[in-house]
Structure formats: structure tokens, C-alpha cells
Amino acid sequence: LGTHNHDLLVADGLSIPFRDELCDVVICIAVFHHISTLERRLRLASELLRILKPGGRLLVYAWAFEQDHEEVGSRKFPQQDCFVPWHLAQNKNDD
């Protein structure tokens, strides 16, 4: 992608195609609320830990129920733990 020499991968977070203990750092941002059941959330957490090296760092960031609803991008949730469906945005230029 560009001149930064980065790799891009699209994969299922419940079955990450990396070997065990590969990563020094694993970052998971705004994902858990899209995982539909507690069992699947635990599988995701297990996968994140599986690919993390011993002594590595894991950052999990999730939306807070307690949001300032005046801020841009804030959402109102019906309860503390709720499933938020994910929908791919349609390109405005698509017919």
C-alpha cells in the first residue's frame, strides 16, 4: 500500500491465520461489540492471546456505554452489553 511497504490482511478474528506467539503487540479496536455471543467473544480473546508472544502487549478498546452524547461519533446503546451489527457502507456512486 503506497510506499510504506505494509501488508494488508482480511481474516476471521475467530480463526486468525498467524502462528502461535508471533506478535509483540496485538491491537483490537471496536471489534468485541460486533461479536454476537459470549462464547464467540471468548474465542476472539483466545485467538488474540494465542498470537501474542509471551510478555507481549495486548490492547483491547471498546465503546463505552457511558458516552458524552454531544461528541461526534457518539452512540446511544439500549443496555450495557449489546450486539452492534456491522454493515458495509455502500459507495454513494454505486448504482
Side-chain angles (χ1 to χ4, degrees):
L1 295 171
T3 60
H4 297 288
N5 196 25
H6 294 3
D7 292 325
L8 177 65
L9 174 74
V10 176
D12 181 350
L14 303 181
S15 182
I16 301 171
F18 294 147
R19 70 177 190 273
D20 295 355
E21 301 178 357
L22 174 68
C23 303
D24 295 309
V25 176
V26 175
I27 300 173
C28 180
I29 299 174
V31 174
F32 274 86
H33 57 271
H34 293 295
I35 307 301
S36 59
T37 65
L38 176 58
E39 178 181 299
R40 290 171 60 84
R41 290 176 183 181
L42 291 172
R43 280 181 44 204
L44 172 60
S46 177
E47 277 292 279
L48 298 175
L49 291 170
R50 180 187 65 77
I51 65 172
L52 189 64
K53 288 181 181 177
R57 294 182 179 252
L58 170 64
L59 170 68
V60 175
Y61 186 85
W63 279 340
F65 180 75
E66 305 82 4
Q67 294 186 33
D68 181 355
H69 296 290
E70 302 296 320
E71 290 188 28
V72 173
S74 69
R75 308 239 352 217
K76 182 159 179 71
F77 300 106
Q79 60 195 35
Q80 184 67 32
D81 184 18
C82 63
F83 173 66
V84 179
W86 185 82
H87 303 284
L88 183 61
Q90 296 295 319
N91 187 333
K92 293 179 183 181
N93 297 324
D94 289 347
D95 291 357

